[in-house]
Amino acid sequence: MRSSGTAVDATARRILHSLVLVGTMVASMVGTALTAHAEPSSVAGIVQVSDRVTRISVYSPSMDRVVTSDVIHPVGGGPAPTFYLLTGIGGGEDGISWFNNSTVAQFFADKHVNVVLPVGGKYSMYTDWVADDPVLGRNKWQTFLTRELPPVIDRQFGTTGVNAVGGVSMAAGPVLDLAIQAPDVYRAVGSYSGCAQTSTPNGQAMVRSMVELRGGANAANMWGPIGGPTWVQHDPVVQAERLRGKALYLSAASGVPGPIDELNPLLAIPQAIGGGVVEAITQGCTGVMAARLQSLGIPATVVFRNQGSHSWGLFEAEMQDSWAVIGPAIGA
């Protein structure tokens, strides 16, 4: 019996030793993973474009890539708040952006604010994807725009740490979602000519038209099965209560072309990028979001224009008008 007990004890010790080794290995792997995840974002490069514009490249640990942003500085220096301004479906990677297609630099020339214009995120909905996509790769734009880029901007440019975010077309719904998912980051939101719904059949169709039809990606890699719980989690209409306390500006136009869409003489390029039907759809979407906010008693400035198609002329007018709401909210 004693001999048998000794054998059992020896076996138990061997099993315990193996478990300890496995536990050590797992702990090491987990520690490595956590360290990698906790790796801070960092400046990968800086180019001074002009006396008021800096092009800064920031390494994103979550996406393992470098993302470039143009930063427009306030005149006079000193700590200033920051306005993050996101572009449409091409993410600026196609050359179509606030920086290239609007007079954003001129508009903010006399305003005490840093304006950050990231380039990247095409067809991504500016969100964190649950899986890498064969076409679009790894997208963790929520993480980048709420946890990685702002700290770098704050350190590099000595900001006040107070932020707002605005977005047009594809980005108009996601900017509301970013403010919902990271409530500590953005104090004010401007949503221009876009659709916020993601969990209804119409909302899903809009998202898939951008991600799949235009981008060639798989929307299930973004938020899991179509219509699943993650699609609901990222639906600003459903999650609207979480916008309470933020300064909100929403706008869209009828889709009827007008003078607002015409050639911008300062840029000497046509402003139209889409048909009136697209803009008319966004007005319907904006109406749904506005009604939801009203039903919850959440204040918002909502503007519906009688004329305007999906054009940069319209987008710039929307952004400029929104500043009367956004600027005071962030102390600019």
Side-chain angles (χ1 to χ4, degrees):
M1 294 290 293
R2 184 173 181 176
S3 176
S4 175
T6 301
V8 170
D9 291 343
T11 300
R13 285 195 296 272
R14 286 196 297 273
I15 292 173
L16 180 61
H17 180 67
S18 297
L19 288 173
V20 169
L21 288 176
V22 170
T24 301
M25 292 173 63
V26 170
S28 176
M29 292 170 65
V30 170
T32 301
L34 289 175
T35 300
H37 181 71
E39 181 184 353
S41 50
S42 58
V43 176
I46 292 182
V47 175
Q48 199 66 38
V49 178
S50 69
D51 60 341
R52 290 190 53 242
V53 178
T54 300
R55 188 160 294 150
I56 184 169
S57 298
V58 175
Y59 173 69
S60 164
S62 65
M63 294 190 284
D64 192 23
R65 74 172 84 167
V66 173
V67 179
T68 299
S69 301
D70 289 309
V71 182
I72 303 169
H73 305 293
V75 175
T82 306
F83 185 30
Y84 292 85
L85 200 49
L86 306 183
T87 190
I89 197 166
E93 298 176 53
D94 53 3
I96 300 173
S97 67
W98 287 104
F99 194 77
N100 295 331
N101 292 77
S102 77
T103 57
V104 63
Q106 292 92 323
F107 177 72
F108 285 103
D110 61 348
K111 295 168 181 62
H112 192 65
V113 64
N114 296 288
V115 182
V116 179
L117 311 166
V119 178
K122 61 182 179 181
Y123 314 116
S124 70
M125 299 295 291
Y126 291 107
T127 190
D128 281 1
W129 288 42
V130 299
D132 293 354
D133 186 80
V135 174
L136 297 183
R138 178 166 299 169
N139 286 293
K140 297 292 182 182
W141 290 97
Q142 177 184 310
T143 295
F144 180 72
L145 293 167
T146 62
R147 302 302 174 198
E148 294 177 345
L149 182 59
V152 171
I153 297 296
D154 291 344
R155 289 195 304 267
Q156 192 68 34
F157 302 111
T159 75
T160 63
V162 178
N163 306 313
V165 64
V168 66
S169 194
M170 181 193 76
V175 293
L176 293 164
D177 183 47
L178 289 171
I180 288 168
Q181 303 300 328
D184 59 317
V185 177
Y186 298 116
R187 186 174 293 182
V189 186
S191 176
Y192 321 121
S193 295
C195 283
Q197 288 178 299
T198 63
S199 62
T200 63
N202 287 342
Q204 292 158 20
M206 286 295 296
V207 171
R208 297 182 73 179
S209 71
M210 293 182 282
V211 173
E212 296 182 340
L213 294 183
R214 291 288 302 277
N218 184 350
N221 288 329
M222 183 173 67
W223 290 327
I226 309 301
T230 307
W231 289 70
V232 178
Q233 177 187 339
H234 289 279
D235 189 328
V237 176
V238 176
Q239 308 296 337
E241 175 61 40
R242 296 165 66 185
L243 290 168
R244 189 178 297 278
K246 300 190 181 299
L248 303 173
Y249 180 98
L250 288 73
S251 62
S254 65
V256 177
I260 201 168
D261 303 308
E262 293 174 0
L263 181 106
N264 187 322
L266 294 178
L267 297 173
I269 57 175
Q271 296 298 285
I273 63 168
V277 172
V278 174
E279 188 62 30
I281 291 172
T282 70
Q283 189 175 78
C285 293
T286 303
V288 171
M289 186 70 205
R292 172 65 168 160
L293 292 169
Q294 185 178 33
S295 72
L296 294 172
I298 297 176
T301 299
V302 182
V303 176
F304 296 114
R305 297 175 185 268
N306 293 328
Q307 289 187 329
S309 63
H310 211 60
S311 70
W312 277 99
L314 171 65
F315 302 157
E316 185 161 17
E318 291 177 313
M319 185 276 292
Q320 292 185 7
D321 287 351
S322 76
W323 190 244
V325 174
I326 292 173
I330 60 174

